[in-house]
Amino acid sequence: MSAEFELCPGRRIGGSNPCFIIAEIGQNHQGDIEIAKKMIRMAKDCGADCVKFQKSELEHRFTKRALERAYNSPHSWGRTYGAHKRHLEFSHEQYRELQQFAGEVGVFFTASGMDEMAVEFLHEINVPFFKVASADTNNLPYLEKTAKKGRPMVISSGMQSMETMRYVYQTVKKHNPNFTFLQCTSAYPLSTEHVNLRVITELQKEFPDIPIGYSGHEGGISISVAAVALGAKVVERHVTLDKSWKGSDHAASLEPAELAALVQEIRTVELAQGSPVKQMLPCEASCYSKLGKSVIAKKAVQKGTELTLDMLGVKVAEPQGIPPENIFKLVGKKITVDLQEEDTITNDMIKY
């Protein structure tokens, strides 16, 4: 069983704890703080544990030339990429306002720190954990500085190899024991054949002392539910109020009804996982009493006879007696009563 730790105050992940469900609002708020608040409330109402945004200090994340390049996409909010990103970027004060609102609603609040200065700000406002986006997972200096701050970390693995994830593990583990890896493929939306859920089990084998989760960008909810069945302890999905809105992430996001269904199905799968102990359960007693089979006498047998296999059969009998899996143990034992054909054989009839 994977290690467990407290990801948010009072909320542990890993082990037998419930899957932690992150609703990633990201930048699907269209740069409008009122839409962002509606999305926070929606995520809470749908049963998500946490809402997550994306925080950048643009001059620290991008070069000047990258910010100045023309951006002619139908998803663009500005003539240049910098103008586009500035439209979608909330100020520090707005982040504090959203954090306070999430607290009032009753849902955990955090963000991906998309550069080192953004991490500094998120640390300052005391987010419960840091989310590391896939684009920074191989940014080892960033990881080291972030890990040293001591907050739990959720680290996506999109665009990375297992070899890189080993370096990431070693880098973070030196400074911070409380982190989780999420299987992720960085395509928006994600084609089913590129999901690679089997990587979850490989990560579990490679890193057995940390919880493993899943960050999905596929359509629908079934794949994310399957990830939980494979043992994902964290599930992160982008959310939106309307998939038709302008913005490249909306098509890979879940609308409110889908998010609510995802949460419900994850909780159903968790309940169904139950106990690893295989045994007859009390709920099976009725079926067993009607259909459970017993060892019976195939023919009349006199008291004191040493039993042979040809004397014994298996049928649904009344009353019930010795279960069929013990039939071979009866061979060579003496019967202590006279038996008629189809009589049930019980333990008190056998001389052991």
Side-chain angles (χ1 to χ4, degrees):
M1 184 172 287
S2 61
E4 60 177 86
F5 61 88
E6 188 174 72
L7 183 65
C8 296
R11 183 65 162 83
R12 299 179 69 80
I13 64 165
S16 60
N17 295 289
C19 177
F20 189 82
I21 302 171
I22 301 172
E24 177 164 6
I25 294 170
Q27 295 191 322
N28 281 350
H29 48 70
Q30 314 299 81
D32 186 324
I33 194 167
E34 294 307 316
I35 290 176
K37 289 180 180 179
K38 287 180 182 178
M39 296 181 77
I40 290 171
R41 189 174 293 281
M42 176 273 289
K44 168 63 177 179
D45 290 345
C46 290
D49 295 294
C50 181
V51 293
K52 188 183 79 67
F53 289 79
Q54 296 173 7
K55 184 72 187 92
S56 297
E57 303 294 344
L58 296 177
E59 287 71 23
H60 291 273
R61 183 181 177 191
F62 299 99
T63 66
K64 288 183 180 179
R65 289 180 65 180
L67 290 172
E68 291 169 356
R69 74 173 182 251
Y71 192 51
N72 300 316
S73 164
H75 299 303
S76 173
W77 292 96
R79 185 179 58 82
T80 64
Y81 196 65
H84 165 76
K85 296 301 287 185
R86 287 186 188 97
H87 174 83
L88 295 171
E89 193 64 45
F90 288 137
S91 69
H92 288 191
E93 195 53 45
Q94 287 174 314
Y95 259 85
R96 290 187 176 95
E97 183 178 343
L98 290 171
Q99 184 183 42
Q100 180 178 342
F101 182 78
E104 292 168 358
V105 168
V107 66
F108 293 115
F109 173 96
T110 194
S112 299
M114 309 301 281
D115 54 80
E116 291 179 12
M117 290 306 296
V119 171
E120 292 294 336
F121 169 68
L122 295 173
H123 187 55
E124 178 186 322
I125 66 171
N126 198 30
V127 295
F129 66 91
F130 293 127
K131 170 64 198 299
V132 178
S134 291
D136 275 310
T137 295
N138 62 348
N139 184 349
L140 299 185
Y142 165 101
L143 286 177
E144 188 168 53
K145 289 179 181 178
T146 303
K148 284 180 177 178
K149 295 192 178 300
R151 296 185 188 276
M153 298 169 66
V154 175
I155 303 171
S156 281
S157 62
M159 303 179 285
Q160 312 303 331
S161 66
M162 186 64 81
E163 182 179 9
T164 297
M165 296 311 294
R166 293 187 189 106
Y167 285 126
V168 172
Y169 175 88
Q170 293 162 6
T171 300
V172 175
K173 191 75 170 179
K174 281 188 294 187
H175 308 289
N176 191 337
N178 297 327
F179 64 99
T180 174
F181 287 161
L182 308 185
Q183 160 56 2
C184 176
T185 303
S186 297
Y188 306 80
L190 174 61
S191 298
T192 302
E193 64 269 24
H194 297 140
V195 171
N196 292 340
L197 284 181
R198 288 180 178 175
V199 175
I200 292 174
T201 55
E202 291 306 305
L203 289 169
Q204 289 166 340
K205 288 187 283 187
E206 189 78 29
F207 311 107
D209 59 336
I210 64 170
I212 302 300
Y214 175 69
S215 177
H217 308 120
E218 73 279 358
I221 67 171
S222 59
I223 289 171
S224 295
V225 174
V228 176
L230 286 173
K233 302 301 182 182
V234 177
V235 165
E236 176 186 81
R237 290 296 304 269
H238 286 255
V239 297
T240 182
L241 295 180
D242 189 336
K243 290 184 185 183
S244 68
W245 279 357
K246 176 178 168 180
S248 56
D249 285 350
H250 291 287
S253 301
L254 301 178
E255 291 182 339
E258 293 175 299
L259 177 60
L262 174 65
V263 173
Q264 183 178 17
E265 290 301 306
I266 285 175
R267 301 305 176 216
T268 298
V269 165
E270 289 177 325
L271 186 62
Q273 285 176 321
S275 169
V277 177
K278 183 58 183 171
Q279 59 185 338
M280 188 185 300
L281 298 176
C283 65
E284 297 176 292
S286 175
C287 184
Y288 183 75
S289 68
K290 289 186 292 185
L291 301 176
K293 293 187 176 181
S294 302
V295 179
I296 54 97
K298 266 189 180 178
K299 53 189 176 184
V301 180
Q302 289 185 338
K303 176 181 177 180
T305 302
E306 191 173 280
L307 295 172
T308 58
L309 192 58
D310 65 323
M311 299 175 184
L312 306 174
V314 174
K315 287 187 177 183
V316 177
E318 183 62 38
Q320 290 183 321
I322 294 172
E325 65 262 31
N326 293 331
I327 190 170
F328 297 116
K329 296 178 182 178
L330 300 178
V331 175
K333 302 293 190 298
K334 288 184 178 181
I335 195 75
T336 61
V337 296
D338 290 330
L339 294 174
Q340 301 301 313
E341 184 179 348
E342 290 199 335
D343 278 354
T344 302
I345 299 177
T346 58
N347 275 313
D348 59 2
M349 300 176 178
I350 304 298
K351 185 178 181 180
Y352 287 99

